Structure formats: C-alpha cells, structure tokens
C-alpha cells in the first residue's frame, strides 16, 4: 500500500543568509532540513562584508551566531561543496539527487588548523596564480584552502583545477604536512538521494563584472577597485586588516571617489540593484569615522535611500562631510607617475570638469546567480528576462513550480532584511504545504550531564577575542590576557582571533575539560547577539550555562574609544576584572518550562494581517483576527491598480473570502484591545468587538495594525478641487471619470521633510504606476513628475524607464526648493526651480497629484503600551534587529509586519506577513518553551509586603499577596516567572532587599563596583 503522507523534510538550496534563515525557521518549527550549498562553507555574501547599514554593526559578528546556530542544529543537515543534479516527484513527495563533490580532505579528520593552507606551493608559484574568492581577488590563496576564519564547516578543501597533483601528478605537499592525516586524494564525488516534501531556492547572486565598463578603468588601473574589494579592504578580517591601502604604492588614499550604478540602470540591465547607494554611503561613513582627513565623494544618479532608517543614515553621511555629486562620470584615466585617477564629469552648473582622486570604487550591481539557469532547468521553474527566478507581485515567494519556493536575491535585487523576510516567508509556505508532517522527522538536541560544582573553589577561564581588528585594532589584547592571568581564581586565560567561530567554541569546551574550569568568561562583543551562543557552548562542556559571564570590550571599548588605544585597553582590563569579580559569585540557575497554547492572535485586518492569519491557519493553527474598523481590507481598499496590472479589488475580495471562510480563522471587526498580559506561549487578551467583551488565550501575537496616508495641509490640498492625492487619482481612474489634459505629480509630500524625515518607499513607484495608467487611458494627456530622487528600486526601474519612453516627463527639483502652487483660471499653476536647467519653470495643470507619504498608525502608541513593545522615533514599531530579526520584537512571542513596521509595497507586506507567520510558528509548534532563569526571586524572609516593586514593574510580573503565618498573616509579593524579563526594576526599588534578580544579585554587582574602583 502506498503511503500518501507528506514528507516532513525540506530541501534548502543555498547557505547564505536567506538559506540559513529559512533553514532555522523550518527546523525550529518541526521540520527536517537538508541545506545544500555549492561552496565549501555556509555564510554567503554577507560573510565578506565589513559592516551592515544603517546600524554599522560588524557583519561577521552579526552573522557568526546565526552560522553557529545552523552549524550545530540537530535538525539541519548541511551538504556543503554540493549541488543538486536532479529531482523527481510532486509537492509533498520529492526525491532529490545531490552530488557531494570530493573535497580531497576527510572532514571527520580535518581539525581546521590551516597548516596545509600556509605551506601550499601554489601560494608562491608564478603559475598558476589562484586568487582568493573570499577576499574578492585582492590576495592569492593556495590550491588547498579554508574559505575564511569562521567558516562552517572549518574544513580545508582542495581546488583540483589548480592543484599540481591533480593537474600534473606531482606535489602532495599538503599530505606530508597534515598531522591529522586528513588529506585524501582518492576521494570521489558522491551522489545521495534525499526525500523531501518541499524546496526553498535561496542560491544568492553574483556581483556584476566591473571590467565590462572599460571606460572606468577596472582591470587596467591598479587603484580602481570594485565595491566588494573595497569592503574587504575595510574589513578587520581583510588582507590589510581594516586599513585601506592603494594597490599601487600601499599608501592610504586621501581622496576616494565612488561611482554608482556600474552595471545597473542600463539598457541591458534595466533594473536597480537596490542596495548599492547605501553600501557606498556606509563605506564612506566608515572611512570618515576612521580617517577623518580622507575625503569621500559619491557620484550618483538618484540616491535610493528607501529603507527603514536609510534616509537618516544618508543625512548623517552628509553631516560627516561625504560629498554627493549627481552625475555619472564618463571616464577614468590614470595619471602617469602618481597613478592617481582623474574623473571627468559634469558640474551642477552644467560645465564639464575633471577632478583627481587617489582611489576609485565602482559600486557594482548584482547579477543572477551563475547557477540560477541550471537550477531553473532542474526544478522546472521559470526565469524572468534578467535571469532571476520569476515570482509574482502578489505571490512573491512562489515559483512556477508548485512546492518550490524562492527567497533572497535569487528572485531579484534586495537588501539583507528583505532577503531574511523572504526566507521566512518561503519557509512559511513550505510549512503550510507540509503541515500534516510537522514533527515526524526531527530529533532533540542532547547535552552531557551537568557537573556539580557546588562547594568548589572558583576556577575561572578567560577568553579574549581579537575580532579580527574590530577589537585588537584598538585594544592591546595581549595586555588584557596578561592582566586576566594576574586575577584571583583565574587559572587559564588566552586570546582568540574569532572566539565565536566553531573551532574557538570547541576550544572553550576543550579547555573547560583540560583545566577543570567551573566558570567561563568571554571578553568580546555584545551579549545581545552572542551570549546565547557562549552559554550553549558552556553547557555542551558540561557546565551550567549561567556559570558564564561576558565582558563587552568591543562596543564599550574599541568602538567608542577607537582613537584612544591606551584608554580603551585600560577600560578593557577594568571590564575583565569586573567580570571575574562577578564570576566568583556565580551560581547555577535552572529554567522552568511553560506549556504553549497553540493559538495565534493577529492585530489588524489589512493586507498584511489577513495574509499572516491565512498563513497561520494554513499551517493548522487556530487564529483570531482583530480589525478595528467595520470591514477588512485596510489601505488596500483604496488601491485600484497593482504595479503588475493586477486588479487590487479583485485580489482583496478573494483574500477576504478566504479569511472569512477558513474554519480555523475567527474574525472580529470593530475590535479594540482592552488588556493584554502573559508571555510567549501563554498570552491572554481581552478585547471588545462591536461593544461586546471577549477574552482569548493564545501563544503568539502578530502586530499588523497598518499605517495611514499622510493628510496634507499644503499645496492647496482641500482648498482647490484640482489638488488630489495619488489614492484619490486611482479612484478616479478606476471609476472612469478621469478628464485632464495636463497632470503634475509632486513627490515627497509628507516624506523626507521636517514632518516625516523618512522615505515612504512606495510613492515613486506609485506615481510611475499611475502615470502609466493615465498614458494608457489617455495618451494625449501630459504628465509631469516633480521629484528630488526617483527611488524606483529593484524592478520598479523598468517601469520608470517605460514611463519615460511613453512621454512622462520627470523634472528634478533643486535641493531645498519647495514648489509654489497657485490657482489660475480653474487650473493649478506649479512653479519650481529645475535642478538640471537651473531655471525657474511653471506648469499649468488640470490636476496636481500629491504623492503623499505613509504616516504611522494613530493607534500605535496605545498598542505599544498595552503589548509593552517599543516604537521608533518616527512612530512605527521597532523590530528586535534591523537586519536579522526584521519581524521579531525584542519581546518573545510577539511579531510584526506590514506598514506597522515601516512603509512598503503590497508585495513587501505580503512577504513580511508570511515571514511573521513563520516566526510565530517557531513558538506555536512547540509543546513547551523554556523560560529565562535570570529573573526575579522574592526573599520572603526580607519582604514585608510594602509593594514598592509592584507598580514600577513594566511587565506586571509582580503581585501583592497575603498568607497565614504563625497564627497571623504575612504580606509579601510574588513574581511570575513567565512574565518576568529580569530587567531589575524591582531590585532597584526594594528598600529591604526583599527581591533580587538572579545572576545580578546585589552582592555580585557590589563586587563588580569594588573591582572597578580597585583599578
């Protein structure tokens, strides 16, 4: 008899940030994952970056914990240096053939010591010259190599195409050097067959070839580099350890030019690569912060700072002295002798000029992954005209093949947060497809027995991280280690290049055993991202995870005192000394568990809310959807045309029908949240619907409360019938009562201005969309779009080009100019200063259409207070981490999506809503979840029930209680472990030491203060 039950495993193709996110979401939600990565290690393009914008976080420090999570996850099987060669079957029952290429190194034996990579003769041979892919061709590598310091797996691989043994039958030097006897020249390729129910394609992209732009000098002039090469120059793990040096003379440049849109926004690549403007801005900021005398100039066409926080980041760059020149230089030539570079370009007054620079950086666009065509043929998915995997605006992660989903830049240009969200969205679609098979193939991670250290004298091990040059470029790490060795109870101290790497974590475990350590201190970067990793490492070594302490000597020393190495080093010693003082007093702590209520609550019934609710219901979770208005639909009710031509109202009607007809979905309109309490897995919400009270219990919450259109008071809006907004224009076009010979559209009304200093992201694409509809319905109508920058990123660029071809005229406003609008004979006269002509122009139009921005929802403050989640200074909800946790709140179990998060298109709202559902599923799919152990503890003998701690508790975790004692009664307080977040407010307000926070007890904090003063 055939078993028709679907297979509870998923194939993820790609080990970059999108592949890792999809894998973790799936594995944490009860599915077995097979990750196939063509390169020898996971990490992808993000592993090559220096920092991420707009937070300027170290990219590898951000990425490494995610890599370790994937590397150590029991339900993720990694097949690196492998490729898919065939697939058969149908959704729910695929059989995939994967070729595991021979590394010529036994992964079980290789220790990752790197000795073989240093002694490979190819490193110094005249031929062949093999360039490092990781360092973007800036330096050589041997034929045997480890991709990068934190590689997972950290196993060497032999490049057979350049290896003298495989090419000429000679050498075998690595075999003689390897003490682990890991070299295996006889290793063969192996094909394995995998049974999976669904596929997520996240194979990434490649950087465009800058050498194709001959006039810009790449490949001819030594001091012209690509943006990726410059990223490696900036990186602490790069070939020059973070110091930018010219290739021609190894001197630091004093003037750097960045040329944008190299290989993007061109006839043969008519799309915007989406993140180039911002990474050039980031690179300029980093240069200016580290070398204030260095001048940075960015040559651009339109500055596309459209993401959350990007406009403020762009303004910050200008404040730091980064110069922006709006033009595309026509040529780059080299100056004989100095080898400086001369750029010819047009000045703002229209005259041609030339300027000399020491270094030129080409901001190169993205190209489809080289393997995209092959994957498309194997999986039967369609590619678009550019070679990216084709998806649909309203089904943005679904390919043409059922059961096969796409995420990340494989389906089009996008930045890290969008790639992460798409990965989670693709995971959500796979979860829905395989809902019945959830949990059928997963295992549970097991730890060794925990050592009993009670009564033992503290034996402390201190591990200090270089973090490449992020720390050691400022802090004298060796001095910090030596200082640690002088401290009482420290029996072992050492430094590591990257302590978050897999091999370093293994070394910590090894030293715990060898040195009989019962306390561990890591001095490195922020506990916010790395503490869970090191706690888990300590637990794997047989110690309680709370016998670990962390000193943040990156954020608090090397970053904030980057120009004061002596003071930074002294402060690092102080922090380590304080950590040791606390570590002596650490005690084992134990977590409790709570059962998870597998129901979800979604706040908001717009496009994002309905999508999230349907995704959850499709995965089998009972879901409650609350909408404050009488009907579902939100802002989508006013949209008539979607960018791809889809009728928005047909889409809305279909969505509403699915939501209201789903048996697991309960919809409440005219709803208002009255009270909210609980913690992840166990929330309770009281609300009213049409005045009637209701109460529900649920395990997760998704906030999708939307936003609103900015209602202008300027430009005669509300005073003249010819002044309307884009949404009002759409309604007229849809009704068929559009009659105008001339239309002017004014961009950035309520965005990128004093009222709202952020970009509303969708306004430019909306203007182009409506301009094209006008041209289709009334070709003779003149359409003018008045703008500062046309931010038609990604594939919106093609529509922008189409609009220009159809006669839509785009006029650029001079910086700081606000058009004057006057009524003239029933029409509207718009006067502006044209930035290109440097002349005053006037347009008389029948309609002035204001492209109004997105304003945060009016109810955001109320929801934020009730759920105890934060808002940004602009009034949108604040995610836990901009890059890697874009749909999570810092509060566990609560997620966000759609316009509540930030302005975005309908397609992007769908992606984020699906992503939020996937993240919620990681909670709802578990029978129980572990609570934090470092939380409040009431000392009943000290507490007299004064209740000073009750009101200040931001999580309402403390209640006053009274019980019988010794014939009388005793007042005290009780702390709910499920609600407490360990913030310490109660401990700070208690006058009697009747309540404390475990792991932050007063005696521990006092010891730290005394240690600081002792220095």
């Amino acid at each position: 008899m055939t078993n028709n039950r679907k297979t509870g495993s998923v194939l993820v193709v790609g080990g970059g940030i999108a592949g890792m996110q999809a894998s973790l979401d799936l594995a944490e939600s009860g599915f077995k994952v097979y990750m196939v990565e063509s390169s020898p290690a996971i990490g992808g393009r993000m592993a090559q970056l220096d920092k991420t914008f707009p937070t300027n976080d170290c990219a590898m420090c951000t990425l490494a914990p995610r890599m370790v999570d994937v590397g150590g996850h029991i339900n993720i099987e990694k097949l690196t240096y492998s490729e898919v060669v065939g697939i058969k079957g149908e959704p729910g029952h695929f059989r995939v053939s994967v070729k595991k290429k021979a590394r010529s190194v036994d992964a079980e034996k290789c220790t990752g010591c790197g000795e073989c990579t240093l002694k490979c003769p190819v490193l110094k041979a005249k031929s062949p010259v093999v360039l490092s892919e990781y360092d973007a061709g800036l330096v050589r590598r041997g034929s045997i190599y480890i991709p990068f310091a934190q590689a997972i797996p950290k196993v060497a691989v032999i490049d057979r195409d350049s290896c003298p043994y495989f090419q000429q039958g000679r050498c075998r030097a690595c075999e003689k050097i390897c003490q682990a006897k890991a070299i295996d020249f006889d290793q063969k390729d192996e094909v394995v067959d995998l049974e999976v129910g669904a596929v997520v394609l996240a194979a990434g992209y490649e950087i465009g070839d800058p050498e194709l732009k001959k006039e810009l000098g790449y490949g001819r002039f030594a001091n012209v580099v690509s943006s990726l090469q410059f990223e490696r120059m900036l990186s602490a793990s790069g070939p020059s350890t973070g110091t930018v040096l010219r290739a021609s003379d190894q001197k630091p440049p004093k003037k750097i030019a960045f040329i944008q849109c190299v290989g993007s926004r061109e006839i043969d690549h008519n799309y915007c690569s989406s993140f180039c403007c911002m990474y050039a801005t980031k690179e300029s900021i980093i240069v200016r912060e580290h070398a204030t005398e260095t001048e940075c100039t960015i040559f651009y066409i339109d500055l596309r700072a459209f993401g959350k926080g990007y406009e403020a980041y762009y303004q910050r760059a200008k404040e730091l002295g980064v110069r922006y020149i709006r033009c595309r230089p026509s040529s780059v030539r080299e100056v004989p002798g100095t080898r400086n570079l001369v750029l010819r370009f047009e000045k703002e007054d229209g005259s041609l000029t030339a300027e000399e620079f020491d270094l030129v950086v080409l901001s190169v666009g993205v190209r489809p992954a080289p393997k995209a065509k092959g994957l498309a043929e194997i999986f039967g998915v369609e590619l678009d005209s550019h070679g990216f995997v084709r998806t649909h605006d309203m089904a943005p992660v679904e390919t043409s093949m059922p059961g096969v989903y796409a995420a990340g830049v494989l389906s089009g240009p996008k930045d890290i947060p969008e790639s992460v969200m798409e990965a989670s969205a693709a995971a959500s679609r796979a979860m829905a497809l395989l809902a019945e098979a959830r949990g059928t193939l997963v295992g549970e991670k097991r730890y060794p027995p925990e050592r009993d250290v009670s009564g033992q004298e503290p034996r402390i091990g201190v591990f200090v991280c270089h973090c490449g040059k992020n720390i050691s470029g400022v802090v004298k790490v060796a001095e910090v280690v030596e200082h640690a060795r002088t401290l009482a109870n420290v029996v072992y101290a050492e430094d590591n290049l990257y302590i978050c790497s897999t091999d370093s974590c293994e070394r910590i475990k090894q030293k715990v055993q060898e040195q009989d350590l019962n306390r561990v201190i890591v001095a490195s970067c922020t506990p916010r991202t790395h503490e869970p990793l090191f706690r888990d490492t300590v637990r794997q070594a047989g110690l309680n995870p709370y016998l670990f302490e962390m000193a943040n000597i990156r954020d608090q020393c090397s970053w904030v005192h980057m120009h004061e190495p002596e003071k930074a080093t002294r402060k690092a010693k102080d922090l380590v000394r304080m950590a040791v003082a606390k570590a002596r007093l650490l005690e084992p702590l134990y977590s409790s568990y709570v059962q998870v209520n597998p129901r979800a609550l979604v706040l908001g019934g717009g496009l994002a809310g309905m999508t999230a609710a349907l995704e959850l219901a499709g995965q089998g979770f009972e879901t409650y959807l609350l909408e404050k208005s009488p009907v579902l639909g939100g802002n989508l009710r006013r949209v008539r045309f979607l960018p791809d031509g889809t009728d928005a109202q047909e889409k809305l009607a279909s969505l509403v029908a699915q939501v209201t007809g789903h048996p697991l979905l309960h919809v409440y309109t005219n709803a208002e949240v009255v009270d909210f309490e609980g913690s992840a897995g166990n929330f309770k919400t009281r609300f009213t619907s049409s005045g009637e009270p209701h109460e529900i219990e649920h395990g997760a919450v998704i906030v999708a409360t939307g936003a609103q259109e900015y209602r202008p008071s300027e430009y005669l809006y509300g005073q003249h019938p010819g002044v309307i907004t884009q949404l009002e224009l759409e309604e007229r076009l849809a009704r068929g009562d559009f009659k105008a010979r001339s239309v002017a559209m004014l961009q950035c009304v309520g965005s990128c201005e004093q009222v709202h200093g952020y970009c509303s992201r969708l306004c430019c694409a909306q203007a182009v969309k409506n301009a094209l509809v006008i041209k289709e319905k009334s070709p003779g109508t003149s359409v003018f779009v008045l703008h500062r920058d046309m931010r038609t990123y990604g594939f919106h660029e093609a529509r922008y080009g189409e609009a220009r071809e159809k006669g839509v005229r785009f006029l650029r406003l001079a910086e700081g100019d606000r058009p004057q609008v006057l009524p003239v004979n029933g029409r509207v006269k718009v006067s502006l200063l044209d930035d290109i002509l440097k002349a005053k122009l006037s347009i008389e139009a029948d309609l002035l259409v204001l492209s109004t921005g997105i304003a945060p929802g009016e109810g955001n403050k109320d929801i934020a207070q009730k759920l105890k989640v934060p808002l940004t200074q602009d009034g949108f909800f604040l995610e836990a981490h901009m890059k890697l946790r874009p749909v999570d709140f810092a509060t566990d179990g609560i997620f966000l999506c759609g316009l509540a998060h930030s302005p975005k298109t309908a397609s992007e709202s769908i992606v984020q809503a699906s992503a939020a559902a996937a993240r919620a599923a990681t909670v709802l799919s578990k029978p129980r979840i572990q609570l934090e152990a470092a939380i409040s503890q009431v000392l009943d003998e000290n507490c007299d029930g004064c209740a000073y701690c009750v009101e200040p508790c931001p999580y309402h975790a403390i209640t006053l209680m009274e019980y019988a004692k010794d014939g009388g009664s005793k007042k005290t307080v009780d702390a709910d472990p499920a609600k407490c977040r360990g913030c310490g407010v109660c401990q700070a307000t208690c006058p009697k030491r009747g309540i404390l926070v475990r792991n932050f007890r007063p005696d521990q904090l006092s010891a730290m203060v005394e240690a600081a003063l002792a220095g």
Side-chain angles (χ1 to χ4, degrees), residues 802-980:
E802 182 186 354
R804 296 199 304 273
E805 290 172 2
K806 291 190 175 179
V808 178
R809 281 169 276 189
F810 292 84
L811 305 177
R812 183 174 289 123
L813 300 169
E815 187 170 351
D817 180 52
R818 287 174 63 89
Q820 301 298 312
V821 179
L822 296 171
V824 177
N825 300 324
R827 305 179 80 200
V828 180
K829 181 180 179 181
V830 183
S831 301
L832 65 139
L833 179 61
D834 185 277
D835 190 46
I836 297 175
L837 300 175
K838 306 300 179 187
K840 200 78 173 178
L841 301 180
S842 292
I843 300 169
E844 285 195 16
D846 299 315
L847 282 179
L848 172 61
V849 183
L850 305 182
S851 294
T852 51
I854 301 294
E858 291 178 347
N860 284 4
K861 280 188 178 180
D862 179 60
I863 292 294
Q865 288 174 354
K866 285 172 179 171
L867 271 61
K868 302 172 188 66
V869 293
L871 298 173
T872 68
Q873 61 182 8
D874 296 318
F876 295 97
F877 288 96
L878 178 64
E879 65 274 41
H881 190 284
M882 184 173 287
K883 294 291 185 183
L884 296 189
R885 296 182 66 194
V887 299
D888 295 52
F889 280 107
T891 302
D892 294 339
I894 308 180
F895 309 91
L896 77 160
C897 62
L899 296 179
H901 168 263
S902 65
K904 52 181 59 69
T905 65
S907 179
E908 291 162 346
S909 287
I910 291 171
V911 166
Q912 198 177 23
S914 300
R919 299 295 300 135
T922 63
V923 175
L924 300 175
S925 61
K926 294 179 172 63
R928 61 175 191 166
I929 56 176
Q930 187 175 8
L931 299 177
E932 172 61 49
I935 55 176
S936 296
Q937 175 184 355
V938 178
L939 302 179
D940 200 49
E941 63 274 19
N942 292 349
C943 179
D944 63 2
C946 69
Y948 285 178
C949 58
V950 174
E951 188 64 30
C953 177
Y955 302 99
H956 302 288
I958 304 175
T959 54
L960 182 63
M961 58 183 293
E962 187 172 353
Y963 63 93
K965 183 179 180 181
D966 298 332
S969 64
K970 160 102 174 148
K971 283 187 176 181
T972 187
V973 295
D974 180 62
D976 186 340
K979 293 181 181 179
C980 179

Side-chain angles (χ1 to χ4, degrees), residues 501-756:
S501 64
T502 306
D503 58 320
S504 293
C505 289
E506 289 297 321
R507 185 168 176 80
I508 290 175
K509 290 190 282 185
Q510 175 189 343
K511 292 302 176 183
V512 168
Q513 303 297 329
E514 289 180 1
Q515 302 292 327
D516 193 27
L517 304 179
N518 55 27
R519 307 286 192 281
V520 173
I521 292 171
V522 169
S524 60
C525 50
T526 171
R528 187 168 66 95
T529 56
H530 285 62
E531 190 171 58
L533 164 65
F534 295 126
R535 278 185 178 173
D536 189 67
T537 299
V538 167
R539 182 63 191 88
Q540 290 179 48
L543 292 178
N544 184 281
Y546 290 92
L547 296 175
F548 167 78
E549 184 63 21
M550 198 164 180
N552 187 349
I553 63 171
R554 185 195 67 177
D555 300 39
Q556 297 175 7
C557 297
S558 63
W559 278 9
V560 293
H561 305 296
M562 66 175 66
H563 302 300
E564 302 174 298
E566 295 297 332
K567 292 181 180 179
T569 301
R570 188 164 67 245
K571 186 176 181 181
K573 292 177 183 177
D574 291 343
L575 291 175
V576 169
R577 190 169 60 253
M578 292 165 69
V580 169
K582 181 183 176 184
R584 296 188 192 107
L585 302 174
L586 291 177
E587 294 178 350
L589 299 179
Y590 298 95
S591 304
S592 55
Y593 292 84
V594 294
Q595 298 299 308
V596 172
N597 185 321
R599 296 190 290 183
L601 171 67
V602 178
L603 301 179
L607 175 61
M610 288 191 290
T611 300
L614 274 173
E615 289 284 331
L616 287 166
Q619 293 180 42
F621 299 114
E622 189 175 5
T623 302
Y624 294 82
L625 178 64
L626 274 55
E627 166 55 40
K628 66 179 179 181
S629 67
V631 292
L632 299 174
N635 289 303
L636 189 60
R637 301 193 71 82
R638 299 188 62 196
V639 178
R640 294 296 182 269
F641 312 103
L642 296 170
D644 64 351
T646 302
D647 185 317
Q649 294 309 300
E650 283 186 14
K651 169 67 179 176
L652 175 59
S654 171
L655 198 60
V656 170
Q658 292 177 63
V659 168
T660 54
H662 201 291
L664 292 178
L665 270 175
H666 310 284
V667 179
Y668 294 86
T669 55
N670 290 313
E672 182 181 353
V673 175
V674 176
D675 191 32
F676 177 85
E677 61 181 54
S679 61
N682 284 275
F683 294 112
K684 183 185 291 183
T685 300
R686 286 179 283 276
F687 66 96
T688 59
S689 175
S690 300
E692 292 187 14
H694 299 270
E695 181 178 291
I696 55 174
E697 295 180 350
H698 50 97
V701 186
I702 293 178
V703 177
T705 50
Q708 58 192 0
E709 181 187 25
Y710 170 71
R711 303 302 293 174
S713 58
E714 60 265 54
Y715 303 119
L716 300 182
Y717 181 79
Q719 304 170 44
H720 192 288
V723 182
I724 61 176
T725 67
Q726 289 285 359
L727 286 175
E728 290 166 346
L729 171 64
E730 282 196 35
E731 289 167 350
R732 291 193 186 188
L733 288 167
R735 289 196 306 265
D737 63 354
F738 171 81
K739 296 176 182 178
R741 294 166 297 160
S742 177
V743 176
M745 296 181 177
L746 180 56
Q747 301 305 106
C748 297
V749 177
S751 297
C752 300
E753 294 181 335
Q754 194 168 3
V755 178
H756 297 126

Side-chain angles (χ1 to χ4, degrees), residues 133-193:
E133 296 87 350
Y134 180 64
D135 281 318
L138 290 173
V139 294
R140 298 176 63 167
R141 66 160 170 80
S143 291
I144 186 167
Y145 66 101
I146 294 173
F148 53 96
Q150 298 107 313
I152 295 178
K154 194 168 184 180
V155 175
V157 61
I158 293 179
D159 173 9
R160 294 187 174 192
D161 291 337
S162 65
C163 175
Y165 173 74
F166 285 103
Q167 295 301 310
Q168 301 162 18
R170 60 180 178 84
C171 189
R172 299 177 77 111
C174 53
E175 186 179 45
K176 300 167 188 172
I177 292 164
C178 181
Q179 296 183 12
K181 306 300 180 186
I183 308 301
D184 182 1
F185 290 112
D186 296 325
Q187 201 175 72
K188 304 295 183 186
D189 293 348
E190 176 189 1
V191 175
V192 297
D193 289 332

Side-chain angles (χ1 to χ4, degrees), residues 469-489:
K469 287 286 184 179
N470 271 306
I471 293 173
S472 64
V474 178
V475 175
K476 297 174 183 177
V477 170
E479 289 188 17
V480 177
V481 172
E482 287 305 315
H483 177 70
R485 288 172 179 157
T486 67
L487 302 175
N489 299 111

Side-chain angles (χ1 to χ4, degrees), residues 250-558:
Q250 294 299 297
K251 293 181 179 177
K254 298 299 181 184
K255 288 185 68 176
I256 303 175
F258 297 81
I259 300 177
Q260 301 307 106
C261 298
V262 178
S264 295
R265 304 187 67 183
E266 296 180 342
I267 294 174
D268 53 344
H269 297 105
N270 63 330
Y271 56 82
C272 167
S273 291
S274 295
F275 52 79
C276 316
C277 286
M278 294 311 297
Y279 72 57
T281 295
K282 173 198 72 176
E283 290 167 352
S284 299
I285 285 176
I286 294 169
V287 169
R288 292 287 297 162
E289 287 180 340
H290 287 81
T292 53
E293 72 285 356
T294 303
E295 298 177 21
C296 292
T297 303
I298 296 178
F299 293 90
Y300 72 108
I301 305 171
D302 292 284
L303 205 291
R304 292 184 166 166
F306 57 84
K308 188 173 185 179
Y310 291 5
E311 178 68 22
Y313 193 67
Y314 165 44
Q315 297 301 329
R316 178 187 166 197
K318 292 199 289 187
E319 291 169 4
L320 283 171
V322 178
R323 186 169 51 137
Y324 288 83
I325 297 178
R326 194 191 295 273
C327 82
R328 177 182 274 176
S330 57
S331 66
V332 176
R333 65 179 177 84
E334 190 177 69
V335 179
T338 65
R339 306 192 74 175
N340 286 349
L341 302 152
V342 176
L343 274 63
R344 287 180 56 79
F345 60 94
E346 185 178 333
K347 294 170 64 177
E348 291 187 4
D349 61 8
S351 62
L352 289 175
T353 188
E355 187 171 343
E356 193 170 314
F357 294 89
D358 301 322
L359 186 71
V360 171
V361 182
L362 305 183
S363 293
V364 188
V366 304
R367 294 286 179 271
K371 45 192 171 285
K373 187 174 181 180
L375 288 173
E377 291 174 353
I378 291 170
F379 289 99
V381 301
E382 294 178 5
L383 300 179
D384 65 19
S385 59
H386 306 295
F388 295 99
V389 171
R390 186 187 299 280
T391 58
H392 190 279
D393 274 356
M394 303 311 286
V397 297
E398 296 188 24
T399 70
S400 56
M401 177 60 69
V404 179
Y405 310 99
V409 189
L410 188 71
S411 61
K414 54 186 68 74
D415 190 18
I416 294 170
E418 286 73 31
S419 292
V420 169
M421 285 187 272
E422 279 196 355
S424 292
S428 180
R429 301 304 301 132
M431 291 177 200
L433 174 66
L434 307 177
E436 66 187 63
R438 188 192 300 271
T440 57
L441 297 177
V442 295
E444 186 175 343
K445 188 172 183 177
R446 300 192 180 281
Y447 292 95
E450 183 179 310
R451 279 170 45 195
D452 182 6
V453 301
S454 57
Q456 294 181 7
E457 184 76 9
R459 293 181 59 82
I460 302 172
V462 178
F463 300 84
V464 185
C465 187
H466 288 251
C467 199
K469 287 286 184 179
N470 271 306
I471 293 173
S472 64
V474 178
V475 175
K476 297 174 183 177
V477 170
E479 289 188 17
V480 177
V481 172
E482 287 305 315
H483 177 70
R485 288 172 179 157
T486 67
L487 302 175
N489 299 111
V490 173
V491 298
Y492 184 80
E494 69 169 37
D495 59 308
N496 297 84
L497 184 61
Y498 293 104
I499 204 160
C500 59
S501 64
T502 306
D503 58 320
S504 293
C505 289
E506 289 297 321
R507 185 168 176 80
I508 290 175
K509 290 190 282 185
Q510 175 189 343
K511 292 302 176 183
V512 168
Q513 303 297 329
E514 289 180 1
Q515 302 292 327
D516 193 27
L517 304 179
N518 55 27
R519 307 286 192 281
V520 173
I521 292 171
V522 169
S524 60
C525 50
T526 171
R528 187 168 66 95
T529 56
H530 285 62
E531 190 171 58
L533 164 65
F534 295 126
R535 278 185 178 173
D536 189 67
T537 299
V538 167
R539 182 63 191 88
Q540 290 179 48
L543 292 178
N544 184 281
Y546 290 92
L547 296 175
F548 167 78
E549 184 63 21
M550 198 164 180
N552 187 349
I553 63 171
R554 185 195 67 177
D555 300 39
Q556 297 175 7
C557 297
S558 63

Side-chain angles (χ1 to χ4, degrees), residues 782-801:
S782 298
V783 181
F784 303 87
V785 179
L786 318 180
H787 67 97
R788 296 183 179 87
D789 287 293
M790 284 304 295
R791 293 181 174 176
T792 45
Y793 57 93
F795 294 146
H796 297 300
E797 178 67 21
R799 298 186 182 105
Y800 175 34

